[in-house]
């Protein structure tokens, strides 16, 4: 693993993007595989403009799994002909016409999580295809793939190099769901998933607790990714309470995490819109110093991963993030379902430096 890490760091991504965490939208937490169509993606792009989201920094409109059906005789990925009748480049062109960026999905294994064609052994031609279509963001998953660290690093390195070779500046998002990507992540991609999917509140707790010890690995160009944002819209496949959705957003900003909305953009509630357009919180996330926040005070128990139906410990934390102007952003986090008093004395305030 040490040798693999040295190789990874020797051949860095260096693609000039991701100097601040990505901001935008991803289809997965919204509607999973149901409704992945060109028309839907265009509607999302239109809604971005209607809601004025680009003015707050949101610019990526990303398709997740379930868009590809096969490979053509030339080896290139073929989008679902029913859902994308004019091909994927036409969709990317429409998104670009709105002043937005277009993202797409693949997998480093033999198939995607939904059993669709994946990129193992096809890294070069897939990278060329994505560049030809005008893709600006690539998420590469880890289903149907080895969990051996060295093999995983090598496979992600193949796609990194293939993307670099295209000459197009494509944000590369690794989706390996494990914290062991963090020490080498910056040499592989612009962000790397450090935990499982954030669906219900216990899985959000898992991502937060996992990210506690990873702040030293985040910096401009590469970020720890605790997963997509889940709003409070019941129309989306993933939704939590309004307070939980807002708590997630606020802490993601202090953690210098990508802000990719997974809520139902087409029916976004006024509450979620207010959450996602809080300019002060967004400024923290996009701070140019690029230092991830860390826990400076906690009464939480030692971390043990929770299952979906487990109870989240009734504990509290204080997170702090140094900012470029010399100030410090602080997040007082209450995991309890009841209100709690969280106290920070002068010594606590000095800890962020």
């Amino acid at each position: 693993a040490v040798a693999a890490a040295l190789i990874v760091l020797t051949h860095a991504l260096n693609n000039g993007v991701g100097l601040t965490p990505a901001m935008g939208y991803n289809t997965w937490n919204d509607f999973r595989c149901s409704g992945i169509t060109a028309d839907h993606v265009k509607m999302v792009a239109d809604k971005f403009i209607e809601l004025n989201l680009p003015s707050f920094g949101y610019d990526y409109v990303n398709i997740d799994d379930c868009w590809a059906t096969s490979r053509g005789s030339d080896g290139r990925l073929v989008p679902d002909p029913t859902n994308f009748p004019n091909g994927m480049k036409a969709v990317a062109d429409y998104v670009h016409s709105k002043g937005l960026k277009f993202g797409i999905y693949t997998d480093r294994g033999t198939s995607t999580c939904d059993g669709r064609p994946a990129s193992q052994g096809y890294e070069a031609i897939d990278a060329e295809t994505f560049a030809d279509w005008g893709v600006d963001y690539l998420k590469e998953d880890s289903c149907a793939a080895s969990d051996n660290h060295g093999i995983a690093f090598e496979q992600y390195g193949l796609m990194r190099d293939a993307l670099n070779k295209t000459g197009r500046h494509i944000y590369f998002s690794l989706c390996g769901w494990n914290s062991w990507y963090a020490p080498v992540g910056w040499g592989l991609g612009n962000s790397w998933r450090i935990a499982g999917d954030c669906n219900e509140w216990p899985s959000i707790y898992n991502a937060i607790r996992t990210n506690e010890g990873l702040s030293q690995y985040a910096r401009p160009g590469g970020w720890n990714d605790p997963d997509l944002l889940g709003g409070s819209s019941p129309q989306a496949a993933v939704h939590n309470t309004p307070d939980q959705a807002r708590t997630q957003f606020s802490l993601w900003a202090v953690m210098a995490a990508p802000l990719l909305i997974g809520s139902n953009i087409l029916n976004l509630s006024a509450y979620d819109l207010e959450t996602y357009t809080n300019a002060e919180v967004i400024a923290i996330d996009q701070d140019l110093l690029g230092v991830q926040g860390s826990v400076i005070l906690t009464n939480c128990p030692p971390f043990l991963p929770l299952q979906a139906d487990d109870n989240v410990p009734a504990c509290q934390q204080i997170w702090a993030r140094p900012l470029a102007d010399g100030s410090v952003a602080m997040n007082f986090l209450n995991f309890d379902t009841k209100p709690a008093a969280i106290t920070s004395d002068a010594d606590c305030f000095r800890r962020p430096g």
Side-chain angles (χ1 to χ4, degrees):
V2 173
L6 290 175
I7 292 171
V8 165
L9 294 175
T10 300
H11 301 88
L13 183 62
N14 192 29
N15 61 359
V17 299
L19 298 181
T20 58
M23 295 178 62
Y25 164 86
N26 179 285
T27 58
W28 188 248
N29 275 5
D30 191 355
F31 49 84
R32 297 297 194 238
C33 285
S34 175
I36 300 287
T37 68
D39 287 344
H40 190 110
V41 176
K42 292 176 181 178
M43 291 168 65
V44 168
D46 291 341
K47 197 68 174 181
F48 256 55
I49 303 305
E50 179 186 330
L51 297 176
N52 201 28
L53 292 178
S55 69
F56 293 92
Y58 296 96
D59 54 3
Y60 288 105
V61 175
N62 297 344
I63 297 176
D64 209 277
D65 200 355
C66 307
W67 63 267
T69 56
S70 61
R71 288 188 180 273
S73 58
D74 59 357
R76 291 181 178 259
L77 288 164
V78 177
D80 186 313
T82 300
N83 294 336
F84 298 92
N86 298 315
M88 200 59 74
K89 187 178 187 306
V91 179
D93 287 347
Y94 186 87
V95 172
H96 291 153
S97 75
K98 301 295 180 179
L100 302 170
K101 298 174 184 176
F102 178 70
I104 208 163
Y105 167 101
T106 189
D107 190 288
R108 67 178 175 89
T110 55
S111 65
T112 71
C113 298
D114 192 60
R116 310 296 181 104
S119 289
Q120 184 173 313
Y122 293 91
E123 289 85 1
I125 193 168
D126 285 356
E128 291 174 5
T129 300
F130 298 146
D132 290 345
W133 287 346
V135 167
D136 304 296
Y137 182 115
L138 177 65
K139 172 182 174 180
E140 189 169 39
D141 220 330
S142 289
C143 287
S146 172
D147 60 2
N148 176 277
H149 295 198
I151 293 174
F153 298 155
E154 180 182 4
Q155 289 176 328
Y156 277 126
L158 288 172
M159 182 58 80
R160 170 204 62 202
D161 294 343
L163 292 173
N164 273 349
K165 190 175 180 181
T166 69
R168 185 172 180 82
H169 299 299
I170 299 175
Y171 183 109
F172 188 29
S173 169
L174 281 56
C175 187
W177 338 302
N178 279 285
S179 61
W180 45 262
Y181 283 98
V184 299
W186 196 85
L188 287 170
N190 298 113
S191 60
W192 45 89
R193 280 279 300 281
I194 50 87
D197 288 1
C198 283
N199 296 320
E200 60 292 309
W201 188 237
S203 60
I204 296 175
Y205 170 87
N206 287 342
I208 294 169
R209 296 300 308 274
T210 299
N211 210 11
E212 283 180 23
L214 305 178
S215 60
Q216 68 268 36
Y217 303 118
R219 49 180 157 159
W223 312 98
N224 293 308
D225 181 4
D227 197 21
L228 307 172
L229 297 167
S232 61
S233 170
Q235 291 97 336
V238 171
H239 56 276
N240 289 284
T241 69
D243 283 347
Q244 289 168 344
R246 184 162 290 184
T247 296
Q248 182 192 23
F249 180 75
S250 298
L251 189 55
W252 261 225
V254 172
M255 294 195 301
L259 300 179
L260 296 176
I261 299 171
S263 192
N264 189 281
I265 287 288
L266 300 182
N267 298 285
L268 198 65
S269 70
Y271 185 94
D272 282 353
L273 180 60
E274 182 182 65
T275 297
Y276 296 144
T277 56
N278 186 312
E280 290 183 317
V281 176
I282 292 171
I284 293 168
D285 181 77
Q286 299 290 295
D287 185 74
L288 296 179
L289 186 62
V291 174
Q292 177 177 311
S294 57
V295 175
I296 60 171
L297 191 68
T298 182
N299 61 10
C300 289
F303 173 53
L304 293 173
L306 302 180
Q307 300 303 312
D309 56 353
D310 287 342
N311 292 321
V312 172
C315 62
Q316 293 78 38
Q317 294 183 326
I318 297 177
W319 285 69
R321 178 182 178 182
L323 302 177
D325 65 359
S327 63
V328 176
M330 302 185 74
N331 185 296
F332 290 68
L333 175 61
N334 180 22
F335 285 113
D336 200 349
T337 56
K338 301 186 295 293
I342 307 175
T343 302
S344 178
D345 58 19
D347 178 63
C348 180
F349 273 99
R350 283 192 291 268
R351 289 179 195 174

